[in-house]
Structure formats: C-alpha cells, structure tokens
C-alpha cells in the first residue's frame, strides 16, 4: 500500500486561525493590543514561542502589526475574515483529499481480500479435481479418425494421450472395461479418465476439433 501523508495543521497555525476568528467576530477589535505571553499563551496553553509564530503569520497577512516585546495590534477585520475563508477552503480540499485516499485504501483492502478469496477458490477447485479424478470424459467418434477399426492395443491410446478408456457405448450398449482387442467403430461414445490435457489430446487424435 502506498505511503500517503495527510498534512496536518500545526499548533501555531491553529492559534493563528483562532485569533483571526476572534478578530473577525469583534472579540479583538481593530486597534486593540494582543499580548502574546500573557493573553495568547495562557489562553491556548502553549509556549510564548508558539504564540509568537502564530502572530507572525497574521503579521505577514497584515491582519496585525507586531510590536517588538509588547505583542501585536489588530489592523484589519476584513483581512482576518479573508484569511479564515482561504484557510477553510484549503482545509476543505485537504479533507476531501483525505476522504478520497481513505476510499482508495478501502478499495485496495477489498481487492486484497477478493484476491485471497479467489486463491482459496482455486485451491479448493484443485482439491475437488484431485478428489474426483475418476469422473470420466466422453467423446463421440466420427469416421474421420485413422483409429477407427483398430484394436485398442494397437491404437496405443494411453501412450499417446495419457487417457485410460473405461467404457465404450455402442448402439445403446455399454461395454465396460473394454479388452485390448476391442476395436472402435464410428459413432462410438468413448468414456475415459485422465487430466484436462489428456482430453485435449484425445480430441486431437480422433480429429474431433
């Protein structure tokens, strides 16, 4: 599974957003001084360095004006609102991205589970084939084969195909375990056991393709 990272908002970015929201709703009116250490650090339970970095963001956006050593003065309510709207728009995109990636991860997990089920099915099918290897195939012969009229012993069918003939149906009569001297006739239905490749070889030597 790919290593996907979702970018999370840092603590100082979160504080910058919260301060901008307070400015937007008038809790911090234009012209008011916000003290980083006494006001913000205490309110958010963070270090003065974290609040300083938050105010630097707002200063860069001209929402506040930093006063060295004494905090910041609120400059613009409008720019605070604009900052919040931009952030929420970007955050919404990140949220959608996260949801999409989660859906992809879910689909990859479901696909992995499906592959597992297919593997189990294939293994079970192999076991069934091994459990019932004596279920015979049947082929109806035409007169196009060179083996018509030749005794089974001379036809050497097992040597050529790996199939073992267990019965021959001829005019509604079933000949079980035919002898090596039994010959095949047109319209016989030959019943034999073997693997799938042996079936293909049988159809080939009897020109039944």
């Amino acid at each position: 599974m790919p290593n996907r990272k979702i970018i999370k908002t840092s603590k100082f970015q979160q504080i910058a957003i919260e301060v901008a929201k307070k400015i937007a709703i008038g809790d911090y009116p234009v012209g008011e001084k916000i003290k980083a250490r006494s006001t913000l650090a205490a309110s958010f339970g963070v270090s003065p360095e974290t609040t300083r970095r938050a105010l630097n963001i707002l200063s860069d956006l001209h929402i506040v004006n930093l006063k060295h050593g004494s905090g910041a003065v609120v400059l613009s309510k409008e720019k605070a609102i604009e900052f919040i709207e931009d952030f929420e728009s970007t955050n919404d995109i990140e949220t959608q991205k996260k949801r999409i990636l989660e859906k992809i991860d879910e689909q990859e997990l479901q696909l992995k589970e499906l592959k597992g089920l297919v593997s189990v099915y294939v293994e079970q099918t192999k076991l069934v084939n091994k459990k019932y290897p004596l279920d015979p195939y049947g082929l109806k012969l035409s007169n196009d084969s060179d083996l018509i009229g030749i005794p089974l012993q001379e036809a050497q069918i097992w040597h050529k195909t790996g199939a073992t003939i267990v019965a021959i149906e001829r005019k509604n009569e079933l000949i079980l375990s035919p002898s090596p001297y039994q010959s095949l006739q047109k319209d016989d239905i030959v019943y034999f056991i073997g693997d799938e490749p042996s079936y293909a070889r049988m159809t080939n030597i009897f020109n039944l393709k």
Side-chain angles (χ1 to χ4, degrees):
M1 183 182 298
N3 182 22
R4 304 189 180 103
K5 292 184 178 180
I6 301 299
I7 299 175
K8 296 182 179 180
T9 306
S10 63
K11 190 65 177 178
F12 65 87
Q13 288 174 318
Q14 294 174 10
I15 294 173
I17 288 295
E18 292 303 317
V19 173
K21 287 180 179 179
K22 289 182 178 293
I23 294 173
I25 63 177
D27 285 354
Y28 296 152
V30 173
E32 181 172 327
K33 180 183 290 186
I34 305 173
K35 294 185 178 180
R37 183 182 296 274
S38 59
T39 303
L40 297 183
S43 297
F44 293 101
V46 295
S47 66
E49 173 62 19
T50 301
T51 57
R52 183 188 67 79
R53 295 180 68 182
L55 290 176
N56 280 339
I57 293 176
L58 300 179
S59 175
D60 291 341
L61 297 172
H62 305 292
I63 298 172
V64 301
N65 181 32
L66 288 178
K67 297 289 185 179
H68 183 67
S70 60
V73 176
V74 178
L75 292 179
S76 174
K77 178 178 180 179
E78 290 74 17
K79 289 187 180 297
I81 294 172
E82 182 180 343
F83 170 51
I84 294 168
E85 290 176 346
D86 289 343
F87 174 82
E88 289 178 345
S89 176
T90 303
N91 189 60
D92 184 62
I93 292 173
E94 287 297 323
T95 300
Q96 293 299 322
K97 175 184 175 182
K98 181 179 179 181
R99 289 175 180 172
I100 291 170
L101 292 179
E102 287 174 349
K103 288 295 182 183
I104 292 174
D105 288 341
E106 289 176 7
Q107 290 177 353
E108 289 177 346
L109 179 59
Q110 291 171 356
L111 182 59
K112 185 177 180 180
E113 292 175 350
L114 180 59
K115 288 180 178 178
L117 291 174
V118 171
S119 297
V120 171
Y121 172 77
V122 170
E123 291 303 317
Q124 289 178 341
T125 301
K126 289 179 179 178
L127 289 175
V128 169
N129 288 339
K130 290 180 180 180
K131 188 175 180 180
Y132 302 104
L134 301 182
D135 190 16
Y137 295 101
L139 286 176
K140 186 172 183 179
L141 307 183
S142 67
N143 59 357
D144 296 330
S145 175
D146 295 335
L147 298 179
I148 297 297
I150 297 179
L152 294 177
Q153 186 178 37
E154 296 181 19
Q156 295 186 326
I157 291 174
W158 183 85
H159 296 82
K160 297 175 181 177
T161 67
T164 300
I165 295 178
V166 294
I168 300 172
E169 183 178 345
R170 180 178 297 159
K171 297 179 180 179
N172 296 324
E173 179 184 354
L174 189 63
I175 304 172
L176 292 173
S177 187
S179 74
Y181 307 105
Q182 179 69 55
S183 61
L184 299 173
Q185 297 179 11
K186 178 182 178 298
D187 295 329
D188 280 352
I189 299 177
V190 178
Y191 294 98
F192 60 93
I193 58 175
D195 54 17
E196 290 185 13
S198 69
Y199 178 85
R201 289 190 286 268
M202 284 288 284
T203 59
N204 185 47
I205 68 170
F206 285 104
N207 297 322
L208 297 176
K209 291 185 177 182

